[in-house]
Amino acid sequence: MEQVAPSAGFRRQRIFEHNTHTEIDRETLDELEKSVCVLQAEIDDGKVVYGVNTGFGGSADTRTKNLDELQETITRELHCGILPSSTKTATSEDLGTHHSRSSHEFQVNSAEVTESSRCMPISWARASIIVRINSLAGNYSGVRPAILESLNELLKNGITPQIPLRGSISASGDLIPLLYIGGAIQGDPAIQVYKRTHRTGVYRMTTADVALREAFVTPLRYRPKEGLAIINGTAVSTGVAALAMHDANALAVLSQVLTAMSVEALRGTKDSFASIFARSRPHPGQHESAQNIYTFLSGSRMTRESADFGKRSLCQDRYSIRTAAQWIGPVLEDLQLANQQVTIECNSVTDNPLIDVESDQKSCNGGNFQARVITSAMEKTRSGLQTLGQMLFAQCTELLNPRMNFGLPPNLTADEPSESFLMKPIDIMIAALQSELGYLANSAGSHVQSAEMGNQALNSLALISARYTHSALDVLTQLASAHLLALCQAFDLRAIRIKFLESFKPVLKRDTEELFCYTISTPSDLSDLHTILWMEFQELLDQSTSMDSPARFKYVFRSLQPLILDAVRDRSEVLAQLRAWTTRCSENALVVFETSRNEFLINSDATPFLGAASRRIYSYIRRDLCVPFLRKNHLKSTKLEASVICQSSPEVTSNETESTALRPETLASKLINCDDRTQDASSEKESCDGMGASMQRDLSDCDQDQRSKEAPKTHNDMAASWEQLQHPECETKTSATSPSVGSYLSVIYEDLRRGAMYEPIFQCLEEAQV
């Protein structure tokens, strides 16, 4: 299996989207004269040559001697796409761009198409031009070198014709869209173009004649067949498809990374991706995805061995992660074939007639313009995107569901479950996105209508299929962004749990030994009791995540009482001690839990517990994009400015950011200790209750002091506080004046859509394949 290389994809994007131009070698241009000579010989011999001295399509029964005028007529009369009525009223949605400065200048937006769009994004138009140049350079089209040079001048000078989004059935190629490219090199004043200013990179709207004049480019006059050669081919659907394949391949890699992250967040096992499964069922896609995911998980402290599953939990992972390699594998194989189809088409000659300069020395009529191969590639790709989306949707919903996520709180809230419902909108949103992906997965190519006087009874609808593939890419990107946000939140919650368990384990052991060392027969029995208690404690903790912390810990330790009673010699003598143990342990657990949670908020970093891929992507989300570990305080009474640079306040030093109240020695002083074993059970209980209440007041006061002490001087909100404490150099990425789950989600989505996150994603892949 070969997944798209980032370097090749980035080179293509530079040509299509970032105004990089191509160079045509002199030898290729010189070869074009051969096909021109063969065509001219046929004309001189008085032969009938389709599209040269005949009409077009169903009108090919007409004849003419005005050969040059025929080419001018076809490129002038077929301009019938619906476009914005004028440059002054064109909107950013119409243009596929973001406006800036004035209504006539705007910044390019990579490849966005909205429901209200009427013209193609600039990247699509540039992709069409480069594919057309490559096709005509094959020396089968009977065009002069000047045609290729003129097309290349559009790329070099940042001149991009405004092309209608709709109107092509991709039968005799993409006739109508290509006409606007042909009109641009003619300098047709009826053709609107985007003209890039080289100094600033800003675009403005003008007409083709003005743009060529400003760039000192001479408009072309078509010779026989040249107008037809420009418009008769699959360049538009192929260029749009090529851009789609780049993003589809990247999202396929991301889906494998997200699966590895999901395995960790759901405390799954990497045994599901062991080599035995690929050896026994050697599908190449399954083998590659399993190997990648297994490697992505290397070094993780969150995954479990198969033997570690609890006695009351499933003894294996659920399908969304356990069968992920088998689910992703066929998609990779489909994408490989689709990528091959599009790549071949990018390097093919697709107009009609073709000039045979190698053997017969004549023109040949055929159907290379039929773009069904692009439709085939796009249908497979779009179906694959829906398949990947279904997997990510299942993984994300399990992550958000406390009945399925092995110990994470409902809605991934970092606060009490009764007070915060943080990720509930994500749960709803991804259902809508996956439903839309399912709709978009329907075949576009099955809706063929006969066209053009019945001549084009078979038409591929390739451009329509490619357009809907871009829509599906956008929807899947939104779904993946939501999953990424949820996964990073889950990692932080897992890290809090790990730190809590590490801190509380010795506390539970101490409390149990102090109260029951005289009522349990031997030290060995006491040790066995602690082992059983600890295992049961963790399972009960996982099962009670929907409860608020005070009630949760009381419930857990009451549920553990039977284990104590089974271990003691005389049950009648320990009932009072058991009540004291329950109170002490539940209150100490609450102290340690809240301490661990508050401490993590100050220094949020889950990377020590993560596998190789998760660590890289988590760090990118948290540090590069400045998307924080979210609590409800991040989303209320906040005011972030997009232009503000987060800098640590000079009054807050690195030493001061560590809460005195959260240091281990201070924590130890807060825990309930009842070392006087001579006191009776009732006084012990009273003492413990009093100390617990006092401890809670002290901790509350201390937290209040700490919050007051560490509040940033420049940002009075938790989100900015997190960024200051973690990454002082970090620029706030969200433009929202009041941050929300959606504003942070938008930061991730926009980064993915512009391709910035592809770099760390492909770094994960490159490391896995070393």
Side-chain angles (χ1 to χ4, degrees):
M1 293 297 295
E2 295 180 1
Q3 297 191 53
V4 66
S7 57
F10 293 154
R11 283 198 299 273
R12 185 164 65 224
Q13 280 193 316
R14 285 198 296 270
I15 294 172
F16 292 173
E17 300 181 13
H18 303 301
N19 214 52
T20 303
H21 60 84
T22 59
E23 293 294 341
I24 309 170
D25 63 82
R26 193 70 249 170
E27 183 180 352
T28 298
L29 293 174
D30 292 341
E31 285 291 313
L32 295 180
E33 296 291 353
K34 295 181 180 179
S35 64
V36 174
C37 291
V38 171
L39 177 62
Q40 188 60 48
E42 288 195 311
I43 295 171
D44 294 342
D45 290 342
K47 293 182 178 179
V48 175
V49 181
Y50 171 76
V52 175
N53 50 26
T54 76
F56 305 98
S59 302
D61 55 351
T62 63
R63 303 290 185 270
T64 183
K65 295 183 179 179
N66 298 321
L67 306 189
D68 290 353
E69 178 61 24
L70 180 67
Q71 303 303 307
E72 298 286 340
T73 299
I74 190 174
T75 56
R76 181 172 60 247
E77 291 186 353
L78 293 186
H79 292 157
C80 68
I82 296 176
L83 290 167
S85 57
S86 72
T87 58
K88 293 184 179 180
T89 60
T91 66
S92 59
E93 288 80 9
D94 293 324
L95 303 175
T97 56
H98 289 313
H99 281 289
S100 68
R101 299 193 180 184
S102 74
S103 61
H104 303 286
E105 296 182 342
F106 46 89
Q107 298 286 351
V108 174
N109 186 10
S110 59
E112 300 298 331
V113 178
T114 68
E115 290 302 317
S116 61
S117 297
R118 284 175 283 170
C119 59
M120 294 184 184
I122 290 176
S123 59
W124 292 17
R126 289 178 63 82
S128 304
I129 294 170
I130 186 64
V131 174
R132 197 81 217 115
I133 292 173
N134 206 41
S135 177
L136 296 176
N139 194 26
Y140 291 95
S141 301
V143 299
R144 294 168 294 156
I147 297 292
L148 278 69
E149 292 173 324
S150 293
L151 289 170
N152 201 39
E153 286 296 328
L154 298 182
L155 297 175
K156 291 170 66 174
N157 290 283
I159 301 171
T160 308
Q162 191 181 63
I163 300 176
L165 187 67
R166 295 177 175 86
S168 175
I169 56 175
S170 305
S172 187
D174 299 298
L175 292 172
I176 292 176
L178 283 169
L179 278 163
Y180 288 80
I181 295 174
I185 62 175
Q186 288 179 289
D188 188 339
I191 300 295
Q192 304 286 344
V193 300
Y194 310 138
K195 177 67 171 67
R196 183 177 185 272
T197 304
H198 290 285
R199 184 175 60 84
T200 63
V202 174
Y203 281 75
R204 63 182 177 86
M205 289 293 296
T206 186
T207 56
D209 57 328
V210 172
L212 293 186
R213 185 166 61 249
E214 291 177 348
F216 303 101
V217 175
T218 303
L220 268 183
R221 297 278 297 180
Y222 289 133
R223 300 292 303 279
K225 192 185 180 294
E226 290 180 340
L228 179 63
I230 290 285
I231 69 172
N232 194 200
T234 68
V236 179
S237 52
T238 302
V240 175
L243 284 169
M245 288 309 306
H246 173 264
D247 287 349
N249 277 283
L251 287 175
V253 178
L254 177 59
S255 73
Q256 295 169 74
V257 173
L258 289 173
T259 296
M261 296 172 74
S262 297
V263 172
E264 293 187 83
L266 290 167
R267 293 174 60 202
T269 174
K270 66 178 183 178
D271 292 349
S272 302
F273 311 98
S275 60
I276 183 175
F277 300 108
R279 293 199 308 270
S280 60
R281 195 190 192 200
H283 292 292
Q286 175 185 331
H287 172 73
E288 178 176 331
S289 58
Q291 185 179 44
N292 288 340
I293 295 167
Y294 191 89
T295 308
F296 291 159
L297 290 167
S298 61
S300 173
R301 290 176 56 189
M302 290 190 180
T303 56
R304 293 184 285 181
E305 299 296 328
S306 296
D308 293 339
F309 286 81
K311 63 183 180 182
R312 287 193 294 273
S313 66
L314 297 174
C315 64
Q316 55 186 1
D317 293 328
R318 292 188 175 88
Y319 279 31
S320 72
I321 54 178
R322 178 157 51 97
T323 69
Q326 292 82 357
W327 190 264
I328 297 170
V331 177
L332 297 185
E333 293 170 18
D334 282 346
L335 289 180
Q336 184 185 40
L337 176 55
N339 205 64
Q340 181 183 35
Q341 290 174 311
V342 174
T343 300
I344 290 173
E345 192 72 0
C346 282
N347 294 284
S348 297
V349 180
T350 59
D351 59 297
N352 180 60
L354 299 183
I355 312 301
D356 187 351
V357 299
E358 297 175 356
S359 55
D360 294 337
Q361 298 287 305
K362 68 176 184 179
S363 60
C364 301
N365 298 323
N368 270 7
F369 47 64
Q370 183 65 267
R372 182 67 197 187
V373 67
I374 295 298
T375 312
S376 173
M378 292 295 95
E379 308 283 67
K380 285 192 289 288
T381 300
R382 208 161 55 255
S383 175
L385 297 176
Q386 187 274 337
T387 300
L388 296 178
Q390 186 63 56
M391 180 190 70
L392 299 184
F393 171 76
Q395 292 170 356
C396 194
T397 53
E398 289 176 20
L399 195 64
L400 297 166
N401 189 340
R403 295 176 178 83
M404 305 176 76
N405 62 21
F406 295 104
L408 290 170
N411 306 303
L412 300 183
T413 179
D415 300 283
E416 298 303 334
S418 68
E419 299 174 354
S420 175
F421 312 94
L422 191 70
M423 294 287 173
K424 188 171 289 295
I426 294 290
D427 206 352
I428 297 168
M429 186 183 103
I430 60 175
L433 294 172
Q434 183 53 31
S435 296
E436 188 171 355
L437 272 179
Y439 169 77
L440 290 169
N442 286 301
S443 170
S446 61
H447 295 274
V448 172
Q449 307 295 323
S450 181
E452 204 267 302
M453 302 171 65
N455 178 52
Q456 297 180 3
L458 292 179
N459 44 81
S460 68
L461 306 183
L463 181 54
I464 295 174
S465 188
R467 277 174 34 216
Y468 279 109
T469 303
H470 277 273
S471 297
L473 286 164
D474 185 71
V475 174
L476 182 58
T477 302
Q478 292 188 41
L479 177 54
S481 302
H483 196 21
L484 271 168
L485 183 67
L487 283 166
C488 291
Q489 183 79 3
F491 287 154
D492 287 332
L493 292 168
R494 291 289 188 208
I496 291 173
R497 184 183 187 276
I498 292 172
K499 289 179 176 293
F500 163 66
L501 293 176
E502 289 175 348
S503 299
F504 185 64
K505 186 175 184 179
V507 174
L508 177 60
K509 182 177 182 181
R510 183 208 65 190
D511 289 346
T512 305
E513 289 177 349
E514 286 182 355
L515 285 166
F516 298 108
C517 61
Y518 295 116
T519 55
I520 295 179
S521 302
T522 66
S524 175
D525 292 338
L526 194 59
S527 177
D528 291 343
L529 173 62
H530 180 67
T531 300
I532 296 171
L533 281 174
W534 187 244
M535 292 176 59
E536 192 72 15
F537 170 75
Q538 293 179 79
E539 290 210 12
L540 287 168
L541 206 63
D542 289 347
Q543 297 165 15
S544 57
T545 55
S546 294
M547 303 172 68
D548 286 356
S549 299
R552 180 187 185 191
F553 289 117
K554 288 179 181 178
Y555 160 79
V556 168
F557 285 101
R558 285 171 182 164
S559 300
L560 292 173
Q561 288 178 349
L563 297 178
I564 300 289
L565 292 175
D566 288 342
V568 298
R569 292 191 300 267
D570 188 346
R571 295 185 179 185
S572 61
E573 295 182 358
V574 299
L575 292 180
Q577 289 176 295
L578 188 60
R579 286 194 297 270
W581 176 84
T582 302
T583 300
R584 188 199 300 188
C585 289
S586 60
E587 293 189 0
N588 281 345
L590 180 61
V591 172
V592 176
F593 177 75
E594 291 183 342
T595 300
S596 300
R597 183 169 60 183
N598 293 336
E599 185 177 38
F600 190 84
L601 183 64
I602 293 174
N603 187 25
S604 303
D605 184 13
T607 54
F609 310 105
L610 300 178
S614 296
R615 188 163 53 246
R616 184 183 296 278
I617 302 302
Y618 170 89
S619 296
Y620 185 85
I621 298 293
R622 291 286 186 254
R623 291 174 172 78
D624 292 59
L625 300 187
C626 298
V627 176
F629 171 49
L630 294 176
R631 295 187 68 176
K632 65 179 183 179
N633 284 339
H634 287 98
L635 311 180
K636 69 176 184 178
S637 302
T638 58
K639 198 164 189 176
L640 293 180
E641 301 296 337
S643 60
V644 171
I645 303 297
C646 296
Q647 297 178 342
S648 292
S649 173
E651 291 85 351
V652 182
T653 66
S654 58
N655 292 331
E656 289 173 328
T657 58
E658 181 183 355
S659 170
T660 304
L662 303 179
R663 290 173 182 163
E665 61 272 19
T666 311
L667 172 61
S669 70
K670 296 289 183 186
L671 297 177
I672 300 174
N673 284 286
C674 296
D675 294 328
D676 188 0
R677 300 185 183 91
T678 62
Q679 61 184 335
D680 59 36
S682 59
S683 63
E684 178 177 358
K685 181 178 184 303
E686 180 181 354
S687 174
C688 288
D689 288 346
M691 291 180 66
S694 174
M695 175 276 302
Q696 293 289 2
R697 288 192 299 271
D698 290 346
L699 185 58
S700 176
D701 292 343
C702 196
D703 285 346
Q704 183 63 41
D705 292 343
Q706 183 63 20
R707 285 193 294 269
S708 175
K709 176 182 177 182
E710 295 189 359
K713 308 304 180 184
T714 56
H715 304 285
N716 188 23
D717 63 272
M718 294 298 290
S721 174
W722 186 93
E723 289 166 359
Q724 285 184 315
L725 293 171
Q726 286 294 95
H727 315 294
E729 77 288 356
C730 169
E731 180 177 351
T732 303
K733 301 295 183 180
T734 177
S735 61
T737 56
S738 182
S740 63
V741 171
S743 66
Y744 289 117
L745 175 59
S746 297
V747 169
I748 299 173
Y749 162 78
E750 289 166 5
D751 194 78
L752 265 175
R753 282 300 283 168
R754 68 172 179 265
M757 202 184 298
Y758 289 168
E759 183 175 355
I761 290 169
F762 278 107
Q763 285 173 348
C764 293
L765 181 64
E766 290 167 357
E767 290 177 359
Q769 294 182 342
V770 171

